[in-house]
Amino acid sequence: RKWVAGAIFLCCVVLAATKQLTLLVSMCCGAYLLVAIQCITIDAAFMSIKGRVVLAVIAAFGLGDGLSNTNVTTKIAQGVVATGEQFGPNVLLFLIFLATSCLSCLVSNQTTVIIVYGIVKTLTIPGITMKELVITLIIGASSSFMTPFGYQTNLMVWRSGGYTFANYFRFGLPLTILNGVVATVMCRLLFAD
């Protein structure tokens, strides 16, 4: 059954990647197919849905919309553009990475992406493509190394491993800076105009 499930998943990904179907439709069809061939029961499928994750994502969309509707994202974007004009595109991408990473250390990476994307989508900076901004944002949101709160596995090993908050910051800060420099350089090399 696991081979069948893997094949169905692969087909769903290929259909979505080739734009034959949207990702939502493709994955829903895959889920229905898995239930239809009794690879998974309906009860098991519903039990696998994490209500807290769904609620967090929905709440983050509300927060993101609220920030956009009150023009907070526009004001932040204007400040980012002013900074970018002073220091150039490389420093600006690194600062976006760093700000996103810091926010991701406090809230979930899904929430971070939704909030910061509201800012990034309004940016028009000469010399920086939207692809560079979005990839920097995604990598920054996934770089929550400086606190134990940013990601579930950080919390899992915090107490059992005998780590302190200072351990996360001491090792996470240099790792975040290194990751930010590499992400910025790679984005500029691979995705710049």
Side-chain angles (χ1 to χ4, degrees):
R1 287 189 175 182
K2 66 182 171 184
W3 291 103
V4 173
I8 291 171
F9 178 72
L10 182 64
C11 288
C12 292
V13 170
V14 168
L15 286 170
T18 59
K19 299 190 189 289
Q20 300 298 316
L21 296 173
T22 66
L23 182 61
L24 177 64
V25 171
S26 173
M27 290 300 163
C28 284
C29 290
Y32 290 133
L33 190 57
L34 288 174
V35 171
I37 64 171
Q38 298 179 347
C39 196
I40 186 172
T41 65
I42 291 178
D43 290 335
F46 279 112
M47 293 297 291
S48 68
I49 298 171
K50 306 293 183 220
R52 291 177 62 137
V53 173
V54 171
L55 184 61
V57 170
I58 291 169
F61 274 112
L63 180 59
D65 284 347
L67 290 171
S68 293
N69 292 340
T70 57
N71 291 326
V72 170
T73 54
T74 304
K75 294 292 183 191
I76 294 171
Q78 290 169 349
V80 168
V81 169
T83 303
E85 290 172 347
Q86 288 179 345
F87 297 108
N90 294 335
V91 172
L92 179 61
L93 280 177
F94 179 76
L95 291 175
I96 289 171
F97 172 90
L98 196 59
T100 305
S101 178
C102 289
L103 182 59
S104 189
C105 287
L106 302 173
V107 297
S108 74
N109 55 356
Q110 297 98 331
T111 304
T112 300
V113 167
I114 292 167
I115 291 169
V116 179
Y117 180 72
I119 298 165
V120 166
K121 72 181 179 184
T122 62
L123 295 177
T124 51
I125 303 167
I128 298 181
T129 65
M130 183 55 68
K131 194 173 209 176
E132 288 175 277
L133 291 168
V134 170
I135 290 172
T136 301
L137 161 70
I138 291 168
I139 295 171
S142 299
S143 301
S144 54
F145 307 128
M146 294 184 285
T147 68
F149 312 117
Y151 199 69
Q152 299 91 332
T153 52
N154 293 8
L155 277 173
M156 289 169 56
V157 299
W158 183 20
R159 295 276 185 226
S160 60
Y163 298 111
T164 64
F165 190 90
N167 293 130
Y168 281 91
F169 190 76
R170 185 174 343 132
F171 293 105
L173 180 63
L175 183 59
T176 300
I177 291 170
L178 176 65
N179 199 22
V181 169
V182 170
T184 300
V185 169
M186 294 306 292
C187 278
R188 296 297 292 159
L189 289 174
L190 298 174
F191 304 112
D193 282 338

